[in-house]
Amino acid sequence: MTAPSGPEAGRAHGPSGLQTPAGTVGPVRVVGTGLLGASVGLALRALGVDVVLHDPSRVTVLLARDLGAGRLPEPSDPPPALVVVAAPPDVTGDVVAAELAAYPDAVVTDVASVKGAVLAALTAAGADLTRYVGSHPMAGSERSGPTAARPDLFVGRPWVVVGTEASSPEAVLAVRTLVTDLGATPVMLDARVHDEAVAVVSHLPQVASSLVAARLRDADPAALDLAGQGLRDVTRIAAGDPALWTSILAANARAVLPALRATRDDLDGLVQALEQVVEATGPHAVPGGALGTLAAAVAAGNAGVARIPGKHGGARRAYDVVTVLVPDQPGELARLLGDVGAAGINLEELSLEHAPRQPVGLASIAVLPGLGTTLEAELTGRGWTVAG
Amino acid sequence: MTAPSGPEAGRAHGPSGLQTPAGTVGPVRVVGTGLLGASVGLALRALGVDVVLHDPSRVTVLLARDLGAGRLPEPSDPPPALVVVAAPPDVTGDVVAAELAAYPDAVVTDVASVKGAVLAALTAAGADLTRYVGSHPMAGSERSGPTAARPDLFVGRPWVVVGTEASSPEAVLAVRTLVTDLGATPVMLDARVHDEAVAVVSHLPQVASSLVAARLRDADPAALDLAGQGLRDVTRIAAGDPALWTSILAANARAVLPALRATRDDLDGLVQALEQVVEATGPHAVPGGALGTLAAAVAAGNAGVARIPGKHGGARRAYDVVTVLVPDQPGELARLLGDVGAAGINLEELSLEHAPRQPVGLASIAVLPGLGTTLEAELTGRGWTVAG
């Protein structure tokens, strides 16, 4: 059941494991078989690695097994070479400490989205940190549980690896190997840098999205009918799981707090500026400082969004964007993209914008700089209405 | 130059206009030939309506003319039947008042994204409100100016029409007719309801997006490398024009203020909850109320985002979503969508997610409820890796 096949099968590597074609040494014990844990199991099984599953919920672990993420433990099992803890952030520290104690030869990692709190809990518990290397795959879904798992969840994603001064080189290598085996790109960061980074690029956006969406609860139904793509984009991640996000925000409170405070202060400045506008006796009596505050906030956003890298590492506004009118019928978008492909031009990003209850859509096609004019000409020549 | 062709051409309708096939009576005078004004001109010209252009910038008006949005005025022109003011919100009231005075038989509308402030300015100026009907097309772009204009900018979009008690039925009809001629859907609202609606569905999301993006200015470069689709979605509209948004926020200050204050108060509650978490002596000492505040904020966002209507009027989570791995090569996405079309299934929404610098993408295909399983089977049968 556990022997991998292929040319590397059977090559001895350590007391209890086999070198797989992919590099990760089994058996791998996955603790917590929700979306992330089950996805790790599915991906490792696809590489022929022996995966043993554990979850405090019997239903969850049986479901993960039935989906092909691994097998249940057996009394005759050798100890695991690697343990992957995929538990909620607030219990991850305790679980990692227990696994380090239970398997004194195993390397243990976790996939929690906060790293400093886990490390602090392990240090406080006196755990053997030489065999612990934290990690955090930048992958997920609004859905959760093993049924949402997929073996390619991590393909092409950054996966942060957080070694400490205490981590052994062997432990760091084992976790890096796991990351690359699963198709992700390892990004080595320390816990503080990681936690501050995700506070700004993940946790603050989640909070902002939730707060904007919360204002829609009591909005006039007429307001919802005016919802456009901007609102949809800003609030998409507001559909995230409250229990999971409570756990994440609490575990990363020290890093999230400064980002939230700064945003609160910025927002307070905007409230005060708008109060000055309302209190002014007429449009020409508005103090210039108030308008300057509004403009500076939008300009600061311009500067920030320009720093987000695009697929090829440049700023994303380096793309040319061609917008095309697409009839809302099966096959029309395929025909459009077929024509893009026939022009020999690679599509970098695509978004399709639909108005509520209307029979047309607008496809925005981003291509590498300089190709936009060519693409426009090609598409116009093929009968498409190019809108800009 | 001005006579429309077609079967309706030449049918008299009022002293100065001709009934076009589309319904709108010309000449139409467009004041302000940026993105919106030039798009109105392009769309009306495509219907054969005579369009006369005016803009305080000579370059802007000549550019709009050369792009086909209309013609320059001539001394022998009849007075316009309809004036469309497409000026920045802060000057719209003054411009509308001047147009009402200059053309005493014309209906005048404007397309500013705030309506109460314009109406207040007109009332204060003693303008003839019987001939004024405000409006606001829910369409736009991060780009601006006549070169970004397109005749289909309004197709399928809601377009709010704001009549007052003083508006004549003929004036309301003329503006509704303009809206439907341009392919948009008229939504009749009063100024207060409109302004409160856009404060929540447009102006607050803009502010939130800008504030989140602003935090990226000073972020560690490593943080930007961890940017995922959530951050990109939340910050897309942060690329908007600071001058335009300053004008919009100031003009709608009365309606935006309550939304911003409520958000500031919510954010302040989260800051206090996180402070309690940080001050707690350990993970098990965190007061339950603090965690409850975090969870309630995310849950409120869940409830709000669920109210956003989908294309067919339902809540958007009613869609089935099928996620497929797409190699990053020309034509692959087209081939996928061709296979979706070949399955006879209409694509409702599409998003393509790319990881930075990686050779694969994930296409999320939303289809009507009940069709997801069929689509998965069809795509798997055609060799695609369906990921969930």
Side-chain angles (χ1 to χ4, degrees):
Chain A
M1 162 184 299
T2 68
S5 59
E8 306 285 324
R11 198 171 83 190
H13 185 108
S16 63
L18 292 170
Q19 174 77 30
T20 72
T24 290
V25 175
V28 174
R29 174 171 156 89
V30 173
V31 180
T33 58
L35 169 67
L36 294 178
S39 293
V40 168
L42 287 171
L44 288 176
R45 287 300 305 132
L47 296 171
V49 178
D50 182 24
V51 176
V52 179
L53 303 172
H54 176 77
D55 194 285
S57 158
R58 182 82 182 157
V59 168
T60 301
V61 75
L62 290 177
L63 192 51
R65 182 199 59 180
D66 292 353
L67 292 166
R71 63 178 177 85
L72 300 182
E74 291 168 17
S76 61
D77 280 344
L82 177 66
V83 179
V84 179
V85 174
D90 54 333
V91 301
T92 293
D94 291 346
V95 176
V96 169
E99 296 292 323
L100 284 166
Y103 301 104
D105 292 322
V107 169
V108 180
T109 188
D110 72 292
V111 297
S113 52
V114 296
K115 300 271 64 89
V118 174
L119 195 57
L122 292 175
T123 305
D128 176 5
L129 292 179
T130 62
R131 295 182 288 114
Y132 168 71
V133 175
S135 78
H136 177 206
M138 305 305 294
S141 169
E142 285 109 46
R143 291 171 291 167
S144 59
T147 53
R150 46 193 228 222
D152 59 2
L153 184 68
F154 311 107
V155 174
R157 303 302 182 104
W159 186 323
V160 179
V161 176
V162 178
T164 70
E165 291 179 10
S167 306
S168 74
E170 293 75 16
V172 173
L173 180 62
V175 175
R176 279 192 66 120
T177 302
L178 172 74
V179 168
T180 52
D181 280 354
L182 269 46
T185 305
V187 178
M188 307 297 292
L189 294 178
D190 75 35
R192 189 187 54 80
V193 173
H194 167 272
D195 286 357
E196 291 177 0
V198 293
V200 170
V201 304
S202 172
H203 304 174
L204 172 62
Q206 177 66 42
V207 168
S209 181
S210 295
L211 293 182
V212 170
R215 300 265 71 76
L216 302 176
R217 275 175 311 167
D218 304 319
D220 193 312
L224 278 309
D225 279 343
L226 303 186
Q229 197 59 36
L231 179 70
R232 284 167 216 272
D233 284 353
V234 170
T235 59
R236 182 180 63 82
I237 58 175
D241 178 38
L244 175 63
W245 276 102
T246 299
S247 177
I248 292 171
L249 294 172
N252 202 29
R254 272 179 207 284
V256 173
L257 250 183
L260 252 54
R261 279 196 189 119
T263 305
R264 191 258 326 261
D265 293 347
D266 285 353
L267 189 50
D268 214 42
L270 293 176
V271 166
Q272 289 173 32
L274 288 177
E275 284 169 348
Q276 289 184 291
V277 172
V278 168
E279 287 158 11
T281 51
H284 303 295
V286 174
L291 300 183
T293 300
L294 300 178
V298 181
N302 289 175
V305 75
R307 291 191 70 201
I308 300 176
K311 185 169 60 145
H312 295 276
R316 62 176 168 171
R317 46 179 75 195
Y319 292 141
D320 288 353
V321 177
V322 178
T323 304
V324 184
L325 199 67
V326 182
D328 186 15
Q329 290 156 14
E332 281 300 291
L333 192 57
R335 189 165 68 80
L336 169 64
L337 296 177
D339 287 350
V340 174
I345 292 177
N346 198 18
L347 180 154
E348 301 296 329
E349 288 182 4
L350 171 71
S351 69
L352 184 68
E353 190 173 350
H354 259 115
R357 309 178 187 87
Q358 294 300 324
V360 292
L362 292 170
S364 293
I365 301 170
V367 297
L368 287 181
L371 296 179
T373 308
T374 308
L375 181 59
E376 276 197 39
E378 290 273 353
L379 293 179
T380 304
R382 290 160 199 260
W384 292 99
T385 302
V386 174
Chain B
M1 164 185 299
T2 68
S5 59
E8 306 285 324
R11 199 171 83 191
H13 186 107
S16 63
L18 293 170
Q19 173 77 32
T20 72
T24 289
V25 175
V28 173
R29 175 173 156 87
V30 173
V31 181
T33 58
L35 170 67
L36 293 179
S39 293
V40 168
L42 288 171
L44 288 176
R45 287 301 304 133
L47 296 171
V49 178
D50 182 23
V51 177
V52 179
L53 303 172
H54 176 77
D55 194 285
S57 158
R58 183 82 182 158
V59 168
T60 301
V61 74
L62 290 177
L63 193 50
R65 182 200 57 181
D66 291 353
L67 292 167
R71 63 179 177 84
L72 300 183
E74 293 168 16
S76 61
D77 280 345
L82 177 66
V83 178
V84 179
V85 174
D90 54 333
V91 300
T92 294
D94 290 347
V95 176
V96 169
E99 296 293 322
L100 284 167
Y103 301 105
D105 292 322
V107 170
V108 180
T109 189
D110 72 293
V111 298
S113 51
V114 295
K115 301 271 63 89
V118 174
L119 195 56
L122 293 175
T123 305
D128 177 5
L129 293 179
T130 61
R131 293 181 290 114
Y132 170 70
V133 175
S135 79
H136 178 206
M138 305 305 294
S141 169
E142 285 108 46
R143 291 172 289 168
S144 59
T147 52
R150 47 193 227 221
D152 59 4
L153 185 68
F154 311 107
V155 173
R157 302 304 182 102
W159 187 322
V160 179
V161 176
V162 178
T164 69
E165 291 179 10
S167 306
S168 75
E170 292 77 15
V172 173
L173 180 62
V175 175
R176 281 191 66 119
T177 302
L178 173 74
V179 168
T180 53
D181 280 354
L182 269 47
T185 305
V187 178
M188 307 297 291
L189 294 178
D190 76 33
R192 188 187 56 79
V193 172
H194 167 272
D195 287 355
E196 291 177 0
V198 293
V200 170
V201 304
S202 172
H203 304 174
L204 172 62
Q206 177 67 43
V207 168
S209 181
S210 295
L211 294 182
V212 170
R215 300 265 72 76
L216 302 176
R217 275 175 312 169
D218 304 319
D220 194 312
L224 278 308
D225 279 342
L226 303 185
Q229 197 60 35
L231 179 71
R232 284 167 217 273
D233 285 353
V234 169
T235 60
R236 182 180 62 82
I237 58 174
D241 178 39
L244 175 63
W245 276 101
T246 299
S247 177
I248 291 171
L249 294 172
N252 203 29
R254 273 180 206 284
V256 173
L257 251 182
L260 251 56
R261 279 196 189 119
T263 305
R264 191 259 326 263
D265 293 347
D266 284 354
L267 189 50
D268 214 43
L270 293 176
V271 167
Q272 290 174 31
L274 288 177
E275 284 169 347
Q276 289 183 290
V277 171
V278 169
E279 287 158 11
T281 51
H284 302 294
V286 174
L291 299 183
T293 300
L294 301 178
V298 181
N302 289 176
V305 75
R307 290 192 70 202
I308 300 177
K311 185 169 61 145
H312 295 276
R316 61 176 169 172
R317 43 178 77 189
Y319 291 141
D320 288 355
V321 177
V322 178
T323 303
V324 184
L325 199 66
V326 182
D328 186 17
Q329 290 156 14
E332 281 301 290
L333 191 57
R335 189 166 68 80
L336 170 64
L337 297 177
D339 286 350
V340 174
I345 292 177
N346 198 18
L347 180 152
E348 301 296 329
E349 289 182 5
L350 170 71
S351 68
L352 184 67
E353 190 173 349
H354 260 114
R357 308 179 189 85
Q358 294 300 324
V360 292
L362 292 170
S364 293
I365 301 169
V367 296
L368 287 180
L371 296 179
T373 309
T374 309
L375 180 60
E376 276 196 40
E378 289 274 354
L379 293 179
T380 305
R382 290 159 198 261
W384 292 98
T385 303
V386 174

